[in-house]
Amino acid sequence: MYNPSVLIISKRRELAVKYKKILKILNADAILVNNLSDAIGKIRNKEFEFILISDTVEENIKDFIKQVRVLTYNFRPTIIAISKSAEVSDKLDLLNAGADDFLSESMPNREFQARLNAHIRRHIENLTNPLTGFLNEKLTRKTIKQIMEKGSNVALILVVIDKINYYREIYGEIATEKVLQTMGAIIQSALIKEDTVGHYSQNEFIIFTNPYKAEKLAEFLAFAFDNVIKRFYSEFDFNNNFMMFSSNTKEEKKVSLMKLSEAVIEYDSTRYKNEHEIIQSLFNLVKIARNAEKSTYIIDRPKLYGKVDKTMQNKILIMENDEALGLLIETSCTINGYHTKICKNYDGFIRTIREYEPDLIILDWGNDSENEGILALEKAKKHYDSINKKMPKIIFSTSILDKKTILSHGADFYLPKPYDIQTLIKTINDFLN
């Protein structure tokens, strides 16, 4: 939930504390000061959305309000004057000086709370997106700043609807609004009272939620969006999995259907110095998520995961008949930071895969007449299919000029011998990094 910021200016501390307690009930963050100079200092450092000014201050409250209004001309907070007086002339003087409302000290607490709540509700309603009901871009950025000021333990999820601008060009604005409304309903259905969601742009959302449920939430959004996407397209476009895009300035081309790309980070005060670094981190992750064919999410939670030995994340299995070449490959991979293992014969290939669980395999053709490499590749495919796991990248090394056969059997890269060892290392880097 978004917490509006309030500055309370009052000479009487017990009165200021009372107002602060009421504002806390309304989920507002209040700061107390008792004079004009302190108020000016706070206002310069923070764009308050509400300012409560009591006539207990030593300065003339009418002049005080005029000065505050001039000082806050660029962000226009709601100024509420509070006075012991109930005279109509006093009320009119303060309202004409720049106050937006006048409240009496003698007002019952419940009415005082209701009046403040009405201002807060109206303020948030005016700054929400009419299609989704979420916070607009301005309040979303303010929420990030609040998180940093408080050092809150919170996760941020950036949700981007990819290809929606192409969709808008082809299907029109009304259809696009339906997409945004549906996305808003999906997000809203998964949130609880403590969560907050806002627009970073018209087609991008940022969700602020508990770190322990962030991954499940991101997973649900991707699943839900992919399950409703069909209703937004014609039967032809959906069945063919693309749209045809053309204009006066561009040639006709195929454009993939919309999908969600999500990035999840946990806020860490030691890692991020300002809100720009948080946003940059989210968009860097989204770039990776966009490579997926369907809706997906990427999570970056170093605080939860701790330090990881990257060499153990990049394990390479080498199946090479030429012992000298195998040793050269192993040495070069180790120098470049990879963890390697040599399989000594094709008979033990699958057993080694089970034990070692490689991230990439360098596989030699083997005996020219027995097609050992191709047979090993087929066995590897069957093994990974049987455990319902994606097969690691396969670099197939051979002196046999049969590229079509090798790639059609599942190899990811055809590397004809003889080859430069740096070409092999570059290919490994491309696959694993």
Side-chain angles (χ1 to χ4, degrees):
M1 180 177 289
Y2 178 72
N3 305 118
S5 56
V6 184
L7 178 64
I8 301 173
I9 309 169
S10 174
K11 186 73 172 178
R12 288 167 52 193
R13 181 165 179 79
E14 68 276 10
L15 200 62
V17 171
K18 170 189 164 184
Y19 300 151
K20 185 174 183 179
K21 287 180 179 178
I22 291 173
L23 287 163
K24 186 175 181 181
I25 295 171
L26 301 175
N27 296 303
D29 295 329
I31 294 176
L32 312 180
V33 295
N34 59 17
N35 58 73
L36 179 60
S37 60
D38 287 346
I40 290 173
K42 295 293 183 182
I43 291 170
R44 282 175 176 168
N45 294 326
K46 186 178 179 70
E47 293 185 1
F48 292 97
E49 289 149 292
F50 298 89
I51 299 177
L52 274 59
I53 303 177
S54 168
D55 64 359
T56 58
V57 294
E58 294 177 354
E59 296 87 350
N60 180 283
I61 186 171
K62 182 178 175 180
D63 294 336
F64 193 112
I65 289 173
K66 288 180 178 179
Q67 291 180 60
V68 170
R69 182 57 73 200
V70 171
L71 190 64
T72 60
Y73 74 94
N74 59 332
F75 57 92
R76 189 61 174 81
T78 298
I79 296 178
I80 300 173
I82 304 171
S83 175
K84 298 185 290 294
S85 173
E87 294 292 330
V88 174
S89 59
D90 291 336
K91 293 181 182 180
L92 294 175
D93 283 344
L94 296 180
L95 292 172
N96 290 330
D100 297 286
D101 199 1
F102 179 98
L103 302 180
S104 173
E105 280 186 22
S106 60
M107 184 180 291
N109 284 353
R110 291 179 63 184
E111 182 183 352
F112 191 92
Q113 179 178 324
R115 296 279 288 272
L116 287 179
N117 189 42
H119 282 291
I120 292 172
R121 184 179 63 249
R122 191 178 303 112
H123 171 75
I124 294 178
E125 287 173 353
N126 289 336
L127 292 173
T128 54
N129 186 285
L131 283 176
T132 61
F134 297 155
L135 303 180
N136 68 5
E137 291 87 341
K138 181 179 179 181
L139 285 190
T140 300
R141 289 171 174 80
K142 273 198 167 187
T143 302
I144 297 175
K145 291 180 180 179
Q146 283 185 353
I147 287 169
M148 300 193 71
E149 289 169 2
K150 297 177 183 177
S152 304
N153 181 28
V154 66
L156 291 82
I157 307 175
L158 174 63
V159 182
V160 178
I161 308 178
D162 280 327
K163 300 295 187 289
I164 192 170
N165 289 329
Y166 284 111
Y167 181 87
R168 180 181 283 107
E169 291 287 335
I170 296 168
Y171 282 85
E173 193 63 40
I174 295 176
T176 306
E177 288 181 358
K178 291 294 182 184
V179 174
L180 292 171
Q181 288 172 339
T182 303
M183 190 66 238
I186 291 172
I187 293 174
Q188 194 63 56
S189 70
L191 302 184
I192 60 175
K193 184 179 179 181
E194 290 74 19
D195 297 333
T196 301
V197 57
H199 285 259
Y200 186 75
S201 71
Q202 181 71 0
N203 310 324
E204 299 165 337
F205 311 92
I206 295 182
I207 301 171
F208 307 87
T209 188
N210 188 303
Y212 298 106
K213 76 166 192 174
E215 181 173 356
K216 287 292 183 184
L217 178 54
E219 182 181 14
F220 166 76
L221 295 180
F223 169 80
F225 188 80
D226 283 348
N227 275 272
V228 301
I229 192 87
K230 182 177 181 179
R231 70 176 66 173
F232 303 124
Y233 289 98
S234 67
E235 185 176 352
F236 176 85
D237 285 353
F238 184 78
N239 290 338
N240 287 280
N241 202 35
F242 64 82
M243 302 177 287
M244 294 302 297
F245 179 77
S246 61
S247 68
N248 294 331
T249 57
K250 293 183 179 179
E251 295 180 359
E252 193 169 48
K253 64 177 180 179
K254 291 196 291 187
V255 178
S256 58
L257 304 186
M258 291 182 292
K259 65 182 179 68
L260 289 191
S261 297
E262 302 176 73
V264 185
I265 65 170
E266 182 179 357
Y267 173 66
D268 183 349
S269 59
T270 63
R271 185 178 181 191
Y272 302 107
K273 296 178 182 177
N274 54 58
E275 68 272 17
H276 304 296
E277 291 184 0
I278 294 176
I279 294 299
Q280 187 64 52
S281 180
L282 286 168
F283 276 98
N284 285 343
L285 288 175
V286 159
K287 287 179 183 178
I288 302 173
R290 280 177 166 151
N291 293 326
E293 293 182 4
K294 293 186 176 182
S295 297
T296 191
Y297 60 93
I298 300 290
I299 300 180
D300 178 24
R301 291 184 298 186
K303 181 179 177 182
L304 296 181
Y305 290 154
K307 294 182 179 179
V308 178
D309 183 357
K310 292 185 178 179
T311 61
M312 296 306 293
Q313 292 179 301
N314 296 300
K315 297 189 290 184
I316 298 173
L317 178 62
I318 302 166
M319 180 67 251
E320 173 57 60
N321 262 351
D322 187 327
E323 187 175 342
L325 180 56
L327 182 60
L328 175 61
I329 295 171
E330 181 186 31
T331 303
S332 298
C333 288
T334 302
I335 290 172
N336 283 274
Y338 297 108
H339 187 76
T340 58
K341 185 177 182 67
I342 293 180
C343 182
K344 295 183 178 178
N345 56 70
Y346 290 94
D347 293 335
F349 183 63
I350 299 301
R351 184 176 66 253
T352 306
I353 284 177
R354 289 197 189 100
E355 295 171 353
Y356 187 59
E357 297 182 345
D359 301 298
L360 181 142
I361 298 172
I362 301 172
L363 182 59
D364 179 52
W365 178 279
N367 188 289
D368 290 353
S369 58
E370 297 179 10
N371 293 344
E372 293 171 304
I374 294 294
L375 293 174
L377 183 55
E378 291 176 346
K379 289 178 182 178
K381 285 180 66 177
K382 290 179 181 178
H383 165 70
Y384 283 103
D385 287 342
S386 68
I387 62 175
N388 196 27
K389 191 175 180 181
K390 187 177 179 181
M391 191 162 72
K393 297 295 182 182
I394 306 290
I395 297 176
F396 207 102
S397 166
T398 178
S399 56
I400 306 297
L401 300 178
D402 195 354
K403 180 178 181 179
K404 185 176 180 180
T405 298
I406 291 168
L407 295 179
S408 65
H409 276 76
D412 297 283
F413 192 82
Y414 167 77
L415 186 63
K417 292 181 178 179
Y419 56 81
D420 181 3
I421 196 67
Q422 291 305 316
T423 301
L424 175 62
I425 296 300
K426 182 182 182 302
T427 305
I428 294 170
N429 289 338
D430 290 342
F431 279 135
L432 294 183
N433 296 322

